[in-house]
Amino acid sequence: MSTMTDPPKADFRLSMLINDTRYRSLTFQVIAAIAIALSIWYLGNNLIQNLRAAGLNISYTFLGDAAGYDINQRLIEYDSQASHGRAAVVGILNTLLVAFLACITATVFGVIAGVLRLSNNWLVSKLMAVYVEIFRNIPVLIWIIIIFTIMTAVLPGPRAFRGEDPTSTMLFDAFAFTNRGVYVPRPEFTNALFGSTLLSWLLVIAGLVGSWFASREIEKRAALKQEQTGERPQTLLVKLGVWLVPFVVLMVLMGLTWNIPELKGFNFSGGIKVGGPLIALWFALSIYTGAFIAENVRAGIQAINKGQTEAAAALGLRPGRIMNLVVLPQALRVIIPPLISQYLNITKNSSLAIAVGYADITATLGGITLNQTGRAIECVLLLMLFYLTASLLISMVMNLYNASVKLKER
C-alpha cells in the first residue's frame, strides 16, 4: 500500500534498455546471444547447402564399415576386419591411456623439480633450473622424435635374444627391452569371476577403492584420538593390513598367474607389449610438461609466507616434514589452477602421436579412417567432440579437487 511520501513509479520505456544502467548490460547480452545464434545458424545452413549442391550429406553410417587396417597398440580386441567405429574406440582408449600415464609422471617430475629448484644446495638448484629451461623451451614434437630415435637406435632387436649365447638377455627372465618396445608379464586369472576377466579386474579395483576409504577412516580416527588425548596411535601396520590383506585374498581366490613373454620366431609373444611409440610419447609429454609444472610448484611454494616455515622449524620439524606437512598443503591452492591447464595440454598434445606411429584417436579417426572414407566433416566433428568432452571432464574433476583444498573461511 503506497503512501503520500513514496516517489511516483516511472513507466517503462524502450529507451531505458540503453539509457538505464539496470537494463543496459542485460540488453547487450541478449543482443550478443542473438548474434551468435544467427552466426551459427548461417554457417550450418551454408554448410548443408554446399554439401547438397555437391551431392553429399552428413552421415555416420561409415562407422559400421570394415576398417581394413591393423593397430599394433590396443587395449581391446581388434583386427583389420573390425569396423571404423571400433577402430575409433581403440584410438580413444590409446589417447586416454597415454594422457593418464603422462599426467601422473609429469606431476611427479614437476613436483620433484619444483621443490629441488628451491634447494639450498647450489648444484641441485642449478641442475633443476637447467632442466626446466631446456625442456620447456624446445617443442614437444622434437622431444618425441628424439626419444623414439634413441630407443630404436640404442635398444637391441629381438634377434639379439636368440641363440645359445645371446648378446642380450631378459631382465629377471621376465622383462625384455627391445627396439620394438618393452615386453612385461601379463597377469591372468585361472578362476576369473563368472569366467570374465573384466569382472575380475573390476572386483580388484573395487577392493582397492574400499581399502582407500578404510585407510582414510583409520587416519580420521587417529586424528580424533590425538585431539582428545594428545597422543597419536600408530596406524602404519593397520593401514598396510587394510591394503594388502584384501588384495592378497582376492588374488589367491581368483588364481593369479603371470603370462611371461617368450621369444618365438622373429618377435616376442605373450605378456604385455608396451610399444616404442607409446613409450616415446609418454616420456616426452612427461618431461616436457613436467618442466612447466615445476614452475607452477615453485611459484606455489614461494607464495607461502616464510613465517610458516620459520614457525614449523621453531617447533623442531625437519625440512622434509616442513615441506610435506606445512608448505605443500598450503601451496596446493596456488598450484592446482595452472596445473589444470597443463593436464589439458597433455591431453591435446597427445595428438602428436602420429609422428611416431602411435595409433591415437587423431591417427585412427582423423587419419586413416578419414582418408579411406572421405568423410572429413564427420570425422573432424567427432574429433572435436572427443577433445571437448575430455577437456571438460578433466576440468570438472580438477575443479572439484581444487574446491576441496581451497581455504575454508567462516
Side-chain angles (χ1 to χ4, degrees), residues 255-376:
L256 175 66
T257 59
W258 296 94
N259 186 336
I260 306 297
E262 297 179 359
L263 182 61
K264 294 183 179 180
F266 296 100
N267 205 349
F268 283 89
S269 64
I272 298 176
K273 177 186 177 182
V274 184
L278 170 59
I279 296 174
L281 181 65
W282 172 14
F283 192 59
L285 289 175
S286 299
I287 59 176
Y288 175 77
T289 312
F292 289 91
I293 295 177
E295 289 296 271
N296 297 336
V297 173
R298 183 170 70 96
I301 293 174
Q302 290 181 329
I304 305 303
N305 193 303
K306 289 185 178 180
Q308 298 283 327
T309 304
E310 295 171 353
L315 294 175
L317 293 178
R318 291 174 294 180
R321 302 287 288 176
I322 293 174
M323 181 61 67
N324 293 332
L325 300 178
V326 178
V327 178
L328 282 180
Q330 297 182 76
L332 283 176
R333 304 181 186 102
V334 180
I335 296 172
I336 292 177
L339 183 64
I340 299 175
S341 298
Q342 299 305 328
Y343 286 170
L344 297 179
N345 288 337
I346 287 177
T347 305
K348 290 179 284 189
N349 286 338
S350 66
S351 60
L352 297 172
I354 195 172
V356 289
Y358 181 67
D360 71 328
I361 183 63
T362 303
T364 55
L365 182 62
I368 302 176
T369 296
L370 186 151
N371 292 327
Q372 286 186 355
T373 62
R375 294 287 183 175

Side-chain angles (χ1 to χ4, degrees), residues 34-53:
I34 293 175
I36 293 173
L38 290 175
S39 300
I40 295 174
W41 174 84
Y42 172 77
L43 293 174
N45 185 60
N46 186 51
L47 172 64
I48 294 174
Q49 290 181 359
N50 290 335
L51 288 175
R52 187 179 296 121

Side-chain angles (χ1 to χ4, degrees), residues 133-208:
E133 296 303 329
I134 289 179
F135 281 92
R136 73 172 182 167
N137 288 304
I138 296 178
V140 64
L141 178 60
I142 296 178
W143 288 119
I144 295 173
I145 296 175
I146 289 174
I147 295 173
F148 183 71
T149 303
I150 292 175
M151 282 191 59
T152 54
V154 174
L155 293 178
R159 64 181 180 181
F161 296 81
R162 185 182 294 110
E164 296 181 357
D165 188 19
T167 57
S168 298
T169 57
M170 297 177 64
L171 181 64
F172 304 122
D173 293 329
F175 301 87
F177 298 86
T178 73
N179 56 6
R180 298 184 183 181
V182 177
Y183 297 84
V184 300
R186 182 177 68 241
E188 295 180 346
F189 299 114
T190 57
N191 299 321
L193 185 64
F194 299 111
S196 173
T197 303
L198 178 60
L199 290 178
S200 300
W201 281 114
L202 290 177
L203 180 61
V204 173
I205 294 173
L208 293 176

Side-chain angles (χ1 to χ4, degrees), residues 56-68:
L56 302 174
N57 64 330
I58 295 179
S59 174
Y60 292 95
T61 56
F62 70 94
L63 293 175
D65 299 337

